[in-house]
Amino acid sequence: CPLTTLNIGDGVKEIPNYLAFNQNSLTSITIPTSVTTIGDSAFTGCACLTSVTIPDSIASIGDSAFKGCSGLTSVAISASVPSIDREAFKDCTGLTSVTIPDSVTSIGDGAFVGCSGLTSVIIGSSVITIGDEAFKDCSGLTSVTIPDSVTSIGDRAFEWCRGLTSVSISASVTSIGKEAFCGCSGLTSVTIPDSVTSIGDGAFEWCRGLTAVTYNAINCRNHVYGSEAWFKGCPLTSFNIGEGVKQIPDYLACGQSMLTSVTIPDSVTDIGQGAFEDCKGLISVTIGSSVTSVGWGAFHGCTSLAFVTYNATNCKGPMENRSPEPWFKDSPLTTLNIVEGVKQIPNYLAYGQKVLLSVTIPNSVT
């Protein structure tokens, strides 16, 4: 039936699943205030539908309810909806802006995936979880602020949002999912707050404009050797590790060939294995005073590293259950500054450094 108008009578409480499924001639729909539930796929494929108002009576928007409504340019979501379900507005390519009300606590998996015309999103102050692929392929989205209520950003939540130039991650976020911001080539800088304890593989990989990272995660270490690096394919030139960080995760900045200097603050006690491996442009490193453990290969392959300032007062080095390995393998060190206060010079600290010109061992060393 080539429906152009669907009049839902006042008194109707529920719009059934698949009611107007693939009615691509439907241009208008009025949802009365008696309705409390919009069923799954109720308006899927209604490509000519241009606008819809979801009244405050609505308590549930079903899975794929407006999926593929490519002509939809605006949607007013009721202030009583507790969640936006899975793929509710998937591939609504004409949608340009969305305001998610404060009543919403979760944005479902793929809720707005493929909404390529979306340029503006306001996320309500009660949202706790942003689901997997929630805004994936929203290539027109330029900025997003994640409110303080959010604790979890799902896998691929903003993947391939190429137009995204800024993202503000709130201080309540504890988990950033796998490939959450993968391919966001417009991003130039990102700050990871101290609340984060878990970051998925490739969370920021192929963000080809990303040059600056501020890393404040106090105690995050969940990276696995051989998996995708968090910042793979990013041309980082600045990596600021915040004061207060205790652990530098394994392979945190591995392969960042444009990074030239790193300062490890005094709060850090543990540098993970391979943390700065193959940072071929790295010239200088400062190691903070509280470091007690350095993972195997943390600075291997840093072929431009010439200057090291060593402040670790009591560090024995990366010798646990492994054959002897120099800390700065393949690095052409010319200067090693051991700072007053250091008590131990670790095994193999400057092993094999053929161009090292001079070393002063301070009086504090025992």
Side-chain angles (χ1 to χ4, degrees):
C1 299
L3 294 183
T4 57
T5 303
L6 177 61
N7 182 29
I8 299 172
D10 197 9
V12 172
K13 295 181 179 180
E14 181 176 343
I15 296 176
N17 299 343
Y18 300 96
L19 175 66
F21 183 85
N22 276 348
Q23 293 296 329
N24 55 18
S25 298
L26 189 64
T27 57
S28 66
I29 180 73
T30 301
I31 301 173
T33 56
S34 59
V35 173
T36 59
T37 302
I38 299 174
D40 295 349
S41 300
F43 301 100
T44 291
C46 294
C48 289
L49 196 63
T50 57
S51 68
V52 65
T53 298
I54 300 173
D56 288 344
S57 58
I58 299 293
S60 175
I61 300 174
D63 293 352
S64 305
F66 296 94
K67 177 181 176 180
C69 293
S70 56
L72 196 63
T73 57
S74 66
V75 60
I77 301 172
S78 87
S80 61
V81 172
S83 64
I84 298 174
D85 288 353
R86 183 178 180 273
E87 298 185 354
F89 297 94
K90 180 180 179 180
D91 293 332
C92 291
T93 54
L95 203 59
T96 57
S97 66
V98 167
T99 297
I100 297 169
D102 292 342
S103 60
V104 173
T105 59
S106 65
I107 300 173
D109 295 349
F112 296 94
V113 64
C115 293
S116 56
L118 197 61
T119 59
S120 171
V121 171
I122 298 173
I123 299 175
S125 61
S126 297
V127 172
I128 298 172
T129 59
I130 298 174
D132 297 347
E133 301 186 0
F135 296 96
K136 180 183 176 181
D137 289 326
C138 291
S139 55
L141 193 62
T142 57
S143 67
V144 64
T145 298
I146 297 169
D148 289 342
S149 55
V150 173
T151 61
S152 174
I153 300 172
D155 295 349
R156 297 174 292 279
F158 295 92
E159 185 180 27
W160 303 117
C161 291
R162 294 178 177 86
L164 198 62
T165 57
S166 68
V167 60
S168 175
I169 302 173
S170 77
S172 61
V173 171
T174 59
S175 173
I176 299 174
K178 177 181 178 181
E179 299 173 357
F181 296 93
C182 172
C184 293
S185 54
L187 274 182
T188 57
S189 66
V190 68
T191 297
I192 298 174
D194 58 9
S195 56
V196 171
T197 59
S198 173
I199 300 176
D201 293 345
F204 297 91
E205 68 176 344
W206 306 121
C207 293
R208 296 188 181 276
L210 187 61
T211 58
V213 169
T214 298
Y215 182 84
N216 292 321
I218 292 173
N219 199 4
C220 176
R221 186 171 185 177
N222 66 321
H223 210 274
V224 180
Y225 179 71
S227 55
E228 292 293 341
W230 292 344
F231 302 100
K232 180 181 179 180
C234 301
L236 296 184
T237 57
S238 172
F239 203 102
N240 178 32
I241 301 169
E243 190 66 51
V245 172
K246 297 177 182 178
Q247 298 188 45
I248 295 179
D250 297 347
Y251 304 97
L252 176 63
C254 67
Q256 292 299 325
S257 59
M258 297 181 68
L259 198 62
T260 58
S261 68
V262 168
T263 297
I264 297 167
D266 291 338
S267 58
V268 171
T269 60
D270 184 9
I271 301 174
Q273 68 177 12
F276 300 97
E277 185 177 8
D278 290 331
C279 289
K280 298 185 184 301
L282 195 62
I283 297 171
S284 67
V285 167
T286 298
I287 297 175
S289 62
S290 298
V291 171
T292 58
S293 173
V294 179
W296 188 86
F299 299 97
H300 282 190
C302 296
T303 53
S304 299
L305 185 59
F307 305 98
V308 172
T309 299
Y310 184 84
N311 293 299
T313 58
N314 197 7
C315 179
K316 293 183 179 180
M319 293 300 300
E320 298 176 3
N321 302 319
R322 288 185 179 271
S323 59
E325 280 286 349
W327 284 37
F328 303 104
K329 184 180 180 180
D330 302 321
S331 298
L333 288 189
T334 59
T335 303
L336 175 61
N337 179 27
I338 302 171
V339 177
E340 184 67 46
V342 172
K343 296 177 182 178
Q344 299 187 45
I345 295 178
N347 299 340
Y348 300 92
L349 176 64
Y351 180 94
Q353 293 299 327
K354 296 180 180 179
V355 295
L356 190 62
L357 302 177
S358 67
V359 171
T360 298
I361 300 173
N363 292 330
S364 57
V365 172
T366 60

